Amino acid sequence: MKGIITPLATPLTPGGDALDAVGTRRLLAHVIAGGVAGVFILGSTGEGPSLSPALRRDFVALCCALVREILAAEEGKGADDKRNRFRVLVGVSDTCLQGTIELASHAANCGADAIVVAPPYYFPITQVELKSYVYHIAEKTELPIYLYNMPALTKITFEIETIKELARHFGDRGRIAGIKDSSFDLEYMSQLCHVKRELCPSWSILTGAESQVAKVVRMGGDGGVVGGSNIFPEAFVAFYDGASTGNQAMEDDAYKQIEKLKAVYDMAKGRFVQATKTCLSVLGLCEESYALPLLPFDAGERLLVEKVVADIRGMSAT
């Protein structure tokens, strides 16, 4: 898998305890029209760990159905056939192994293309235990697996030696399809690209760092799973396309838009879910509603978001 994958926000109704189906349709149509290669649902940006098991299952079913419907409609309008290229990835991470396996089975039944597995959080675990966890999931599930390295939130890293051992064990047999790394560590990413070249050339190496997509592509990576593509998918697709084709002007123009989102992220101070959903609310794509305990930005913070979004829209219109 190559290109930009959107870690989809989860549109919720006011109160945060029910899915906003209309907002979900708008958001999916927005990112598909923007040219992304796929969506990753129930990840960090999608508030996956904060949603009830029932909501997670319902969101998987809703997204898979809506993606099929939207892609079929695009094809009917004479657009290129995306149905064989667009992918739906489902985050199935849970502190309970059985919960992970059950959600993975549900994702397969709904027509998802792959599952995404982060290390179980809360208890400290060793690399041996982490490998065992992946082996168990691979044995009990049918969809290809993308590993998810997110040490800031899970408090454990998929160490490079662990990745090598998993690559040697699974090889290019399709059980593991790749890894998303959100460590923001370019040296670690460079080592992942080396493992891909040496042991598992079919794996996709994807970054979660928006500003690093072009650097990762030049290292030999395959693209990015980046939250900002919820908001301005065209800019991130152009950023990737420019880097992957050597079109420096395209890359630079796209980065000028992407860079402006930094003002929102800096103000958010780690509240990336609110940063994303406030932008989406300003664009009229979904409500600014969250699963508790997350709360919306205050009025002053929203004003800054409105200004940044207006600035970027003005740039993309010229």
Side-chain angles (χ1 to χ4, degrees), residues 52-266:
S52 71
L55 272 188
R56 278 181 266 173
R57 291 171 64 87
D58 288 349
F59 194 61
V60 172
L62 177 64
C63 286
C64 288
L66 287 175
V67 165
R68 286 193 295 270
E69 185 178 314
I70 293 166
L71 293 178
E74 281 205 357
E75 188 179 67
K77 294 174 183 176
D80 291 339
D81 178 14
K82 293 182 180 178
R83 282 188 287 182
N84 294 324
R85 295 182 285 114
F86 194 88
R87 296 288 180 264
V88 177
L89 283 56
V90 177
V92 297
S93 302
D94 198 301
T95 52
C96 169
L97 177 61
Q98 188 59 34
T100 293
I101 292 168
E102 289 174 1
L103 186 56
S105 176
H106 177 66
N109 291 337
C110 290
D113 297 288
I115 57 174
V116 183
V117 174
Y121 48 93
Y122 193 80
F123 289 113
I125 63 173
T126 67
Q127 293 295 304
V128 171
E129 290 165 329
L130 181 55
K131 282 182 288 185
S132 175
Y133 180 72
V134 174
Y135 293 148
H136 274 90
I137 293 171
E139 180 183 345
K140 299 292 185 180
T141 61
E142 61 181 274
L143 291 176
I145 297 166
Y146 284 85
L147 306 175
Y148 185 6
N149 189 54
M150 182 58 147
L153 298 183
T154 64
K155 306 300 188 289
I156 184 169
T157 296
F158 277 102
E159 293 179 1
I160 291 298
E161 194 54 44
T162 296
I163 297 296
K164 288 180 179 179
E165 291 185 32
L166 291 171
R168 292 188 188 103
H169 180 83
F170 291 106
D172 275 347
R173 289 182 287 146
R175 291 305 295 121
I176 294 185
I179 182 169
K180 174 193 175 184
D181 172 49
S182 293
S183 70
F184 292 76
D185 182 344
L186 283 172
E187 176 55 32
Y188 180 87
M189 177 58 71
S190 176
Q191 292 179 68
L192 287 179
C193 291
H194 179 75
V195 173
K196 172 187 168 84
R197 286 191 295 271
E198 295 296 315
L199 297 174
C200 47
S202 69
W203 284 22
S204 295
I205 307 298
L206 304 163
T207 181
E210 296 184 0
S211 63
Q212 295 178 3
V213 169
K215 291 178 182 177
V216 168
V217 168
R218 283 190 277 273
M219 284 179 180
D222 298 286
V225 186
V226 288
S229 65
N230 280 277
I231 310 161
F232 293 110
E234 295 93 340
F236 283 91
V237 170
F239 190 39
Y240 166 80
D241 285 348
S244 61
T245 61
N247 187 331
Q248 193 64 50
M250 178 188 290
E251 179 187 326
D252 291 345
D253 286 347
Y255 186 70
K256 288 174 185 174
Q257 297 178 55
I258 291 167
E259 190 177 30
K260 283 192 170 289
L261 282 174
K262 187 174 183 296
V264 176
Y265 298 145
D266 287 347

Side-chain angles (χ1 to χ4, degrees), residues 13-33:
T13 60
D17 56 358
L19 298 176
D20 173 6
V22 174
T24 302
R25 177 189 291 277
R26 278 197 298 260
L27 181 55
L28 281 168
H30 172 69
V31 299
I32 289 171

